[in-house]
Amino acid sequence: MKLTKTSIKGMFQVKSNGKSRLVTHNKVPGNSVYGEQLLSINGEEYRVWDPYRSKFAAAFLSGMTKLPQIKEKRILYLGVSTGTTASHFSDILNNGILFGIEFSPKVMRRFFRLAEQRTNLIPILADARRPEEYSPFVYEVDLIYQDIAQPDQATIFGRNALEFLKSGGLGFLAIKSQSIDVVLKPDEIFSKQMAVLEQEFEFKIQEYQSIDAFEKKHAVIIIRKP
Ligand SMILES: C[S@@+](CC[C@H](N)C(=O)[O-])C[C@H]1O[C@@H](n2cnc3c(N)ncnc32)[C@H](O)[C@@H]1O
């Protein structure tokens, strides 16, 4: 198996039997987080990063070129769920930290257990609509990653970015058109969400990409806070 670097530090590509897969170096050897395959390469263990389960991997394989680096970052993750994507960020993070916000107690229990093994993950049971409730526990971050299926996704992101994102910081927003409007065409919905981000919150759109090949009716938007 051949391991090659990608443009995202700490995310590698492995080629074997004509198949190419994304992987991260496993910080907790022997542990698979969501049933992903573990690969031994040159005596080290790597976890396969499934693009059908994680929108960051889907965005990378869909050709996005302005995805944020993860390695040294302080990250606020809205809608962290059981930690599928966050576990790969945890593998990559070096000196960084990830605050994971999730409002479902049942889901959060699993993320809490993950955070016991991975000390760079900080679980916070809270509603992302109410940043004031977790502001005592979160400090200024370099990156906000949001993956929540809510009708007011852009507004939730904007309020959190005003409160926690540093000037010049980046945002990764996964948008699910179906949770905003089932009648309008996905492209119209994505344009409206971008207009909210640009006009109401004055963020700069860096890149926009459909990730339909992996998640139907989803797109990813990368923004920068001026
Ligand atoms: C699509 S899943 C996230 C999957 C995750 N990003 C990953 O890749 O591993 C969306 C999650 O957002 C959570 N969520 C939805 N609305 C929320 C809100 N207002 N505040 C906090 N969490 C929310 C849901 O409970 C769910 O766990």
Side-chain angles (χ1 to χ4, degrees):
M1 272 184 278
K2 192 171 174 322
L3 191 71
T4 49
K5 288 182 182 172
T6 69
S7 56
I8 304 294
K9 292 185 192 114
M11 177 197 249
F12 304 94
Q13 221 145 14
V14 169
K15 290 202 175 114
S16 67
N17 303 330
K19 260 192 8 194
S20 175
R21 284 173 291 179
L22 296 174
V23 296
T24 52
H25 185 256
N26 194 357
K27 250 195 185 119
V28 188
N31 253 284
S32 166
V33 174
Y34 56 99
E36 75 284 8
Q37 202 182 347
L38 304 179
L39 303 176
S40 178
I41 304 166
N42 306 330
E44 298 286 326
E45 191 174 276
Y46 291 82
R47 301 168 50 231
V48 173
W49 195 340
D50 185 348
Y52 293 94
R53 301 280 301 275
S54 169
K55 288 158 197 122
F56 191 86
F60 179 83
L61 293 177
S62 299
M64 290 189 87
T65 58
K66 298 207 166 125
L67 289 174
Q69 293 293 335
I70 303 298
K71 200 162 179 151
E72 311 280 338
K73 297 288 193 288
R74 287 163 303 175
I75 303 170
L76 174 62
Y77 193 132
L78 306 172
V80 76
S81 189
T82 53
T84 299
T85 300
S87 67
H88 289 287
F89 288 174
S90 165
D91 280 345
I92 294 175
L93 280 170
N94 179 22
N95 290 326
I97 198 147
L98 182 151
F99 300 99
I101 310 290
E102 171 57 54
F103 74 173
S104 157
K106 192 172 163 209
V107 165
M108 183 45 104
R109 266 198 291 276
R110 283 182 56 194
F111 184 62
F112 198 85
R113 281 201 291 274
L114 185 72
E116 283 177 339
Q117 298 177 312
R118 294 169 173 269
T119 51
N120 52 19
L121 303 179
I122 311 289
I124 301 174
L125 179 66
D127 188 333
R129 285 202 181 87
R130 293 203 276 277
E132 63 284 359
E133 287 184 3
Y134 45 90
S135 62
F137 314 111
V138 176
Y139 44 80
E140 193 180 61
V141 295
D142 309 295
L143 166 66
I144 296 185
Y145 185 100
Q146 179 174 301
D147 181 12
I148 56 177
Q150 293 288 352
D152 50 345
Q153 287 166 61
T155 307
I156 292 174
F157 175 84
R159 294 198 52 223
N160 278 274
L162 290 183
E163 179 96 23
F164 302 113
L165 189 59
K166 74 173 188 190
S167 173
L170 293 178
F172 175 112
L173 265 94
I175 305 272
K176 180 179 179 184
S177 69
Q178 292 267 295
S179 60
I180 296 172
D181 195 313
V182 288
V183 180
L184 278 180
K185 288 201 181 103
D187 278 348
E188 287 176 57
I189 295 169
F190 299 140
S191 299
K192 281 192 174 176
Q193 294 291 297
M194 283 193 276
V196 172
L197 294 165
E198 281 181 314
Q199 288 158 24
E200 275 184 38
F201 295 100
E202 299 182 352
F203 301 137
K204 306 274 178 241
I205 306 287
Q206 305 291 292
E207 197 175 10
Y208 155 72
Q209 173 73 50
S210 158
I211 55 166
D212 223 44
F214 300 95
E215 289 272 4
K216 288 280 164 249
K217 300 189 175 166
H218 278 72
V220 167
I221 302 169
I222 307 292
I223 66 97
R224 181 180 287 280
K225 184 174 172 181

